[in-house]
Amino acid sequence: MKLKRSIGWFGIMCASLGGIVGSGWLFGSLYAAQMAGPASLIAWLIGGFGTIFLALTFAELSAMFPISGGVAAFPIFTHGKLVGFILTWLTWITYVVSISQEVQSTVLYMGHLFPSLVQKVDNVSVFTSFGFVMCFCTMLFVILLNSFGAKFLANANSLISVWKLIVPFAVVIVFLITSHNSDNMGLTATSTQEFAPYGISGILSAVALAGVVYSYCGFQHAALLAGEAKRPQRDIPLALVGSIIICMFLYVGLQYSFIAALPESALANGWSKIAFVGDAGPLAGLAANLGVIWLVTVLYIDAVVSPLGTGVLYVASSARIVQTMSQSGNSPKFFSKIAKSGIPMRAIFLNFVVAMLAFLPFDGWKSIVSFLSAALIFSFAVGPICLVALRKQQPERHRPFKLPCYQLMSFIAFYICNLMIYWSGWTVVWKLALTVTVGLTVFLLTNFLNRSRIDPEHIATKLDFKCALWLYPYMGVFTILSYFGSFQGGTKDIPLGIDFIFMAVFSFVIFYMSQALCLPKAESDRNTASLLAKK
């Protein structure tokens, strides 16, 4: 049974907006200010413009292949089964963990109102037994919402997305009207603050670690729902780029109003130790300090609506990735089954189980977001690579949206991806490398055990080890550069500034290798035709 093409332009746009405006805006302003001070405004601009380059590559790919779970299919078209599995594995892990992240955000935020949900352990808020029960119930509710079908999901999300945009814009306006202390920006003669107290390193670290990249990564939901778009050729590029621009204005405005509304007492110990009553839920706490009680109520309601609205999208998107993995032979065929509602419910319930287990390894919002940011960007780096490869492999295929100067634009997008991962620092990159290694192990073990039972209906039955030769030095050298780099956990042996040059050369070499080692045209066409026939 094929997915239903029932979502219009507004629904696709709202899917992207809904993915971007999740828990990031509820926490990101505080963490970005702690890492970069007032210069955190620049971090949101860097993150937004960098994501636009990446989104443009996915605009061409998603309009050319308007299929659900496209991010899982593109590397199979260009580099075969092994590369496709590794990048799809990473994407799936991050999307499923993101479901946990959004549910966690809601329950943690509610912990301020209902203390029985959370407890402090080593100064970190963790769930009580009752809190875990609430996480389970909340997760189950999100799952059930997806059972009503794509059209219902899109219509409901359109309403949620409107709410999710109105509330943060209202916060910006109310904060600016209620308390606008421009001296906090550190740009006036009377100010006691510095605009960039931690320099360029603080700004770039905030991009990667404070939830900036994580927030913008939600744009991908529009591409993943391409298979259900009525007019994907027009809707997908417009929704991807438009949603990022809208949210960039929102996040910059929110960051400025947050900084300008901070009382002097909150900055008594410096930007890295911002503290005020209720800062566990920073925006609600700040609104309470300003005496805007009605806004506090609205923010607590939004702490449920925004993260859970985004969580619903991650459930839908991750299920479509599992479906595509199943169709390509990288997960059991059982999960490719589509329910009568047009939703892959078997894949959704698999993700439910994994998402519940994902609560265990992470001890806080910032910890999980730092990993998710790097992992999402690493998996998205396949977009620029696949775009250029497909221009060579399938030049005759109709492209409703063609990226101008595609080679240069794709390389810039790939370079930006690598920089954002590098800015995460060694403490995050080693976990990313471990996740990729586990994925490779799973792939090799699965294919070894099933070597005598290859399903002829699966696409890309060859393992395509040769086409993956660029992936090993990509992750290996990246890990080494991160270890000796100037960001969190690194030895700082590579000076800041010089590392940009190293990363540019490294990116160029890997980009060239990925194009030299892509599949021959015949195999690319065969993989593409096989998968498209199943959509």
Side-chain angles (χ1 to χ4, degrees), residues 355-421:
M356 286 303 302
L357 294 174
F359 281 110
L360 302 178
F362 300 100
D363 58 3
W365 190 89
K366 190 177 179 182
S367 172
I368 191 171
V369 161
S370 297
F371 170 77
L372 285 173
S373 299
L376 282 168
I377 290 297
F378 185 85
S379 62
F380 289 166
V382 70
I385 288 173
C386 290
L387 186 151
V388 176
L390 284 167
R391 288 285 187 104
K392 178 176 67 173
Q393 293 165 320
Q394 302 182 29
E396 74 288 349
R397 186 172 292 276
H398 176 60
R399 289 168 169 80
F401 172 78
K402 294 188 70 171
L403 182 65
C405 305
Y406 73 96
Q407 290 179 316
L408 176 61
M409 294 285 283
S410 295
F411 174 73
I412 291 174
F414 183 65
Y415 178 49
I416 290 173
C417 286
N418 291 336
L419 285 175
M420 288 181 175
I421 300 169

Side-chain angles (χ1 to χ4, degrees), residues 71 136 255 265 307 376 387 389 533:
V71 69
F136 176 86
Q255 186 70 61
S265 59
L376 282 168
L387 186 151

Side-chain angles (χ1 to χ4, degrees), residues 123-198:
N123 204 35
V124 176
S125 295
V126 297
F127 294 121
T128 62
S129 297
F130 179 60
F132 276 112
V133 171
M134 288 304 299
C135 287
F136 176 86
C137 294
T138 304
M139 188 86 72
L140 189 60
F141 172 72
V142 171
I143 294 293
L144 291 176
L145 283 179
N146 275 269
S147 67
F148 291 100
K151 187 172 184 179
F152 170 84
L153 181 61
N155 290 337
N157 188 66
S158 297
L159 297 175
I160 293 173
S161 295
V162 171
W163 162 273
K164 289 166 68 175
L165 286 174
I166 290 175
V167 174
F169 274 116
V171 170
V172 173
I173 295 170
V174 172
F175 277 8
L176 289 177
I177 293 174
T178 307
S179 177
H180 185 200
N181 184 5
S182 58
D183 284 349
N184 284 353
M185 295 300 298
L187 297 175
T188 62
T190 58
S191 176
T192 58
Q193 304 297 331
E194 292 182 62
F195 177 72
Y198 309 114

